Amino acid sequence: MGALDSANHLFGRTLNPLNRQLTVGGSSGGEGALLALRGSMIGFGTDIGGSIRIPAMCNGLYGFKPSQGRVPYGGQTDGQPKGKGRMSIQAVAGPIARSVADIDAVMTYLVPRAQWFGEDCIPGAWPSPLSSFNQRKPVTIGVLQSDGLVQPLPPITKVLNEVAAALRRTPGVNVIEIPVPAALAKCQALAGRLMSVDGGITMLDLLESTGETLIPWLQGRTKRGKPLLLSQLSELQAQRAEIELELRRKLWMLDSGNEQKVDAIILPVAPHPVPELDRYNAVGYTSSFVLLDYPAGVVPVRKFGEADLERGVELETKTLGSWDKKNRELWNEKTVDRTVYLDSPLSVQVITPRQHDYELYQAMELIDRVIKTDRSKL
């Protein structure tokens, strides 16, 4: 748990069925591998940093992280203090599947019943009677190129722009570029602080009592800290509220008026292709939308091809910081053999505003259909 790769001391490492050199993702990497092998029809992941969407990306699958209260989550054993999620940042459960239709089938069954099976669930309808896709035409899809903290590597920008171009050629779809809001770059650090409000003490005490060591991805990334004071936690939640308000205006209202102008946004799942084992880097592209409680999904687009390698061409733009510098190691030909990415899946992430879960499904269905139609013309 809490890692972006999947390994344990009982069974060893979970390998990616598409390429054993690449990560299967985490924490729900086993679920992703099982679905990639067609070992089950649908699976469920739990997502606080990206553990539905990252395994979906790594295995060429569809992932759906709902808003809080849509899918029962409570009652799980996760090595955290009881009730921590209600004070800090709350994980959600959601489906990983081989098609958008499979996600629809599961959510059709779950959403209207969830309030009776989960203490953390709210009354809901699927489809939503308030679907903005049914109210406004054309549908407006925003394109967000970056999280403002880590610049995507060339193949990630390329595939995002390919999807945007295909949407622009689709009647009834309006595509606009969204400037990266300054507040978005603050989300990763804030989400990280809220995840560790107890200083990691409960989990590390448990590990130390058994003599169990951290798995490789967590080594160097996890250490014992100090629990936050109530005043510190209150300040973090106040910062969260400010960011929520700013991003509501910047992303969905485009700073003009009080009405929603954008129906859905496409952006990268990660700033890099599916990386080698234990090399998954920036989590801000996924954790930010748990902090904001936006429903977020993954749609596979195509495989990484020869033309994506850009042999001999290195990035020359200025790095944005330590995370961005680390990300470039996944592209620098001195630190990685880019051919390892060949035939790995390339995906896009889709987000909608909080509690607009049915609209997320509609956006994913539209984007998936456009991608498949565009590909058939090649």
Side-chain angles (χ1 to χ4, degrees), residues 83-297:
K84 175 186 170 185
R86 301 211 170 185
M87 296 181 289
S88 55
I89 183 171
Q90 192 163 342
V92 296
I96 305 172
R98 297 194 61 87
S99 71
V100 181
D102 288 347
I103 289 172
D104 180 40
V106 168
M107 297 301 281
T108 296
Y109 186 84
L110 280 177
V111 171
R113 297 169 172 83
Q115 64 172 316
W116 307 115
F117 292 94
E119 73 281 5
D120 52 348
C121 288
I122 60 175
W126 192 276
S128 166
L130 303 176
S131 172
S132 60
F133 274 63
N134 294 332
Q135 295 174 7
R136 289 205 303 276
K137 290 184 179 180
V139 171
T140 299
I141 306 291
V143 181
L144 190 63
Q145 296 283 350
S146 166
D147 72 345
L149 193 63
V150 182
Q151 286 296 331
L153 298 177
I156 305 305
T157 298
K158 184 178 180 181
V159 78
L160 182 67
N161 289 336
E162 287 172 0
V163 174
L167 287 166
R168 286 190 177 97
R169 293 190 290 268
T170 303
V173 177
N174 180 35
V175 177
I176 60 171
E177 294 284 337
I178 296 182
V180 179
L184 191 59
K186 302 175 184 177
C187 288
Q188 179 173 334
L190 182 57
R193 291 198 68 191
L194 286 170
M195 287 181 204
S196 58
V197 293
D198 69 326
I201 290 173
T202 306
M203 177 69 76
L204 290 171
D205 281 351
L206 181 62
L207 289 171
E208 290 174 10
S209 71
T210 62
E212 190 168 337
T213 58
L214 292 169
I215 64 172
W217 193 89
L218 289 174
Q219 292 173 13
R221 291 183 170 95
T222 300
K223 59 183 180 180
R224 188 179 293 271
K226 292 182 179 180
L228 296 185
L229 299 172
L230 179 59
S231 58
Q232 294 171 312
L233 177 57
S234 298
E235 176 57 31
L236 291 180
Q237 294 291 10
Q239 292 175 26
R240 182 182 190 177
E242 290 175 6
I243 289 173
E244 288 171 338
L245 286 171
E246 181 175 347
L247 291 179
R248 187 187 306 165
R249 293 193 301 268
K250 299 285 186 181
L251 294 178
W252 308 109
M253 299 176 180
L254 302 180
D255 253 346
S256 58
N258 294 314
E259 292 185 2
Q260 182 183 344
K261 303 291 195 306
V262 178
D263 294 289
I265 295 172
I266 58 171
L267 71 156
V269 189
H272 49 69
V274 181
E276 295 171 280
L277 300 173
D278 297 321
R279 297 193 73 178
Y280 199 102
N281 180 37
V283 72
Y285 282 81
T286 47
S287 66
S288 296
F289 304 116
V290 181
L291 179 81
L292 298 166
D293 194 28
Y294 292 171

Side-chain angles (χ1 to χ4, degrees), residues 1 45-47 72-80 82 91-93 119-120:
M1 295 180 291
T46 56
D47 194 313
Y73 178 90
Q76 297 195 52
T77 300
D78 57 8
Q80 303 294 332
K82 292 181 179 180
V92 296
E119 73 281 5
D120 52 348

Side-chain angles (χ1 to χ4, degrees), residues 30-31 33-44 96-98 102:
E31 201 79 346
L34 184 63
L35 282 158
L37 288 165
R38 298 179 183 266
S40 64
M41 295 175 66
I42 198 148
F44 284 85
I96 305 172
R98 297 194 61 87
D102 288 347

